[in-house]
Amino acid sequence: MAPGGQAGGSGSPGSPREGLRDWIRSACRFAADRSDFRRNLIVNLGLFAAGVWVARNLTDIDLMAPQPVA
Amino acid sequence: MEGVKLIINKALSSHFQVTHTIHMSTVGQSSYHFNTTYMGDRQLSPTETFPMLVGDIDSCGSLNAQVLHLVAERIRTKAVFQTQQARFVTWQFDGELRGDDYTATLTLGNPDVLSQSVIVVAHFLQSVTSRLVLGGEMVYHRRPGEEGAIVTLAGKYTALKWVATLNIGYGGAHASYYHRANEQVQVGVELEANTRLQDTTFAFGYQLNLSQANMVFRGLLDSNWCVGGVLEKKLPPLPVTLALGAFLNHWKNRFHCGFSIIVG
């Protein structure tokens, strides 16, 4: 007896719709993952990138420049 | 920085300098340190003079000593000894070979022939271009019944205003970025990931240098919820620097502050 037939309309195994569904499923699994090391690593990598951006773009200031008169 | 610290530097001659440090601590034990530095005649750069002997002894009798010597034009050696009262805890010997575009270093840490234990660290850094340096480090340790080695790859890129480094190894990774925006502002960012301890940390630090006001301010912020700052102010015409510092750990709800007076 053949196993339950394939559900209609699922398309071929390599179809874009299944690929997108798998990607969303793995992203949700990662976001809900309780492995603190991976989440901390992602957060600290983001902070590192933000720190580099701040260092490159927001630090070229002259601290001894005269204050603008209102 | 915590408690009260008094540091007195005195140059006895162009070769010999002594430092007295009295630290009255609020969290640990108070101490007195006596530090001496001898610098020889051979000066390769403003910060490198050979031979150099540095010694530091504290009120408990613990000694910290270093000897740096230029054996040949390209070969430097260093010996480090640390004692805790009457017991040697560290004895380390370094040899460094500096080529035109490479540096090779070999370090022996706590070699003990009787117990057949040693820690060997070997570095090699090669300048690939005028800005890019690539290299690696191998750490080998041996004790009776146990031995192991860890290899780390390292890279450093130097630009006009910034420097970035990256170390990757079996035990984790370390990345840093240093940016010198101008003569007044310097910023550093650091990321460390340790796969064995399953821990990552991020730190952001900056330094503001106001030479017209004889003032330097350093600030720090990290992912362990620590925020800190140190303000150093010179007090001309006296050869005195006053330093005020405070650190707050939000996560552990701890705060400590202190000040230092540096004479000379």
Side-chain angles (χ1 to χ4, degrees):
Chain A
M1 182 181 296
Q6 290 180 352
S10 63
S12 62
S15 68
R17 194 181 294 176
E18 279 196 2
L20 179 64
R21 199 164 32 221
D22 285 342
W23 187 89
I24 292 172
R25 200 175 291 140
S26 68
C28 290
R29 201 179 304 134
F30 177 75
D33 191 358
R34 289 173 176 253
S35 170
D36 289 332
F37 176 67
R38 280 166 69 186
R39 275 197 302 196
N40 285 342
L41 181 62
I42 298 291
V43 167
N44 283 320
L45 267 173
L47 287 172
F48 182 78
V52 171
W53 183 86
V54 166
R56 290 177 69 84
N57 296 292
L58 298 183
T59 55
D60 197 6
I61 50 177
D62 184 0
L63 297 167
M64 297 296 283
Q67 295 289 319
V69 178
Chain B
M1 177 187 280
E2 57 83 22
V4 176
K5 198 180 266 191
L6 171 65
I7 302 170
I8 300 173
N9 296 315
K10 179 71 179 170
L12 300 180
S13 72
S14 59
H15 295 285
F16 199 61
Q17 177 179 307
V18 298
T19 302
H20 302 271
T21 304
I22 298 171
H23 183 206
M24 287 170 278
S25 172
T26 54
V27 295
Q29 215 174 3
S30 299
S31 63
Y32 163 74
H33 285 252
F34 178 66
N35 181 296
T36 64
T37 304
Y38 171 80
M39 290 171 285
D41 292 323
R42 191 147 181 208
Q43 185 166 19
L44 294 187
S45 71
T47 53
E48 286 183 315
T49 310
F50 295 99
M52 182 183 263
L53 288 82
V54 181
D56 185 286
I57 191 162
D58 68 8
S59 44
C60 299
S62 299
L63 172 70
N64 218 315
Q66 290 188 31
V67 179
L68 293 93
H69 187 50
L70 192 69
V71 174
E73 195 66 41
R74 293 174 183 251
I75 302 176
R76 297 155 192 241
T77 56
K78 183 167 85 168
V80 178
F81 301 95
Q82 280 185 344
T83 71
Q84 217 160 35
Q85 294 169 345
R87 194 173 64 90
F88 274 85
V89 292
T90 301
W91 55 102
Q92 180 180 304
F93 307 96
D94 286 17
E96 184 182 285
L97 172 66
R98 288 198 182 187
D100 290 331
D101 59 354
Y102 69 91
T103 303
T105 309
L106 183 67
T107 303
L108 291 178
N110 291 22
D112 191 339
V113 175
L114 294 176
S115 65
Q116 294 189 346
S117 66
V118 71
I119 299 171
V120 178
V121 182
H123 291 125
F124 184 79
L125 294 171
Q126 174 73 49
S127 186
V128 176
T129 68
S130 60
R131 295 189 171 195
L132 179 64
V133 175
L134 296 176
E137 174 188 83
M138 189 196 72
V139 179
Y140 169 79
H141 73 272
R142 180 193 166 96
R143 280 190 304 196
E146 181 194 348
E147 67 178 334
I150 297 174
V151 174
T152 305
L153 300 176
K156 174 177 156 184
Y157 188 86
T158 307
L160 195 59
K161 284 190 168 187
W162 55 272
V163 177
T165 68
L166 177 65
N167 291 358
I168 295 179
Y170 179 75
H174 178 270
S176 71
Y177 178 82
Y178 164 79
H179 189 97
R180 188 183 179 91
N182 50 43
E183 283 185 10
Q184 296 174 351
V185 182
Q186 299 172 55
V187 178
V189 192
E190 185 183 61
L191 170 72
E192 179 151 9
N194 191 321
T195 51
R196 273 181 290 177
L197 298 176
Q198 294 283 292
D199 186 35
T200 57
T201 53
F202 156 82
F204 179 88
Y206 61 93
Q207 176 170 308
L208 309 177
N209 194 338
L210 296 175
S211 51
Q212 296 95 319
N214 290 312
M215 193 191 82
V216 175
F217 180 80
R218 295 185 188 90
L220 166 74
L221 165 70
D222 69 18
S223 57
N224 293 323
W225 298 85
C226 287
V227 179
V230 175
L231 174 72
E232 286 182 8
K233 177 90 169 93
K234 290 184 185 169
L235 305 175
L238 301 171
V240 175
T241 302
L242 174 67
L244 305 170
F247 288 90
L248 173 60
N249 187 328
H250 291 276
W251 187 259
K252 295 183 182 173
N253 214 19
R254 278 191 210 152
F255 171 78
H256 57 82
C257 63
F259 74 91
S260 299
I261 297 173
I262 304 161
V263 179

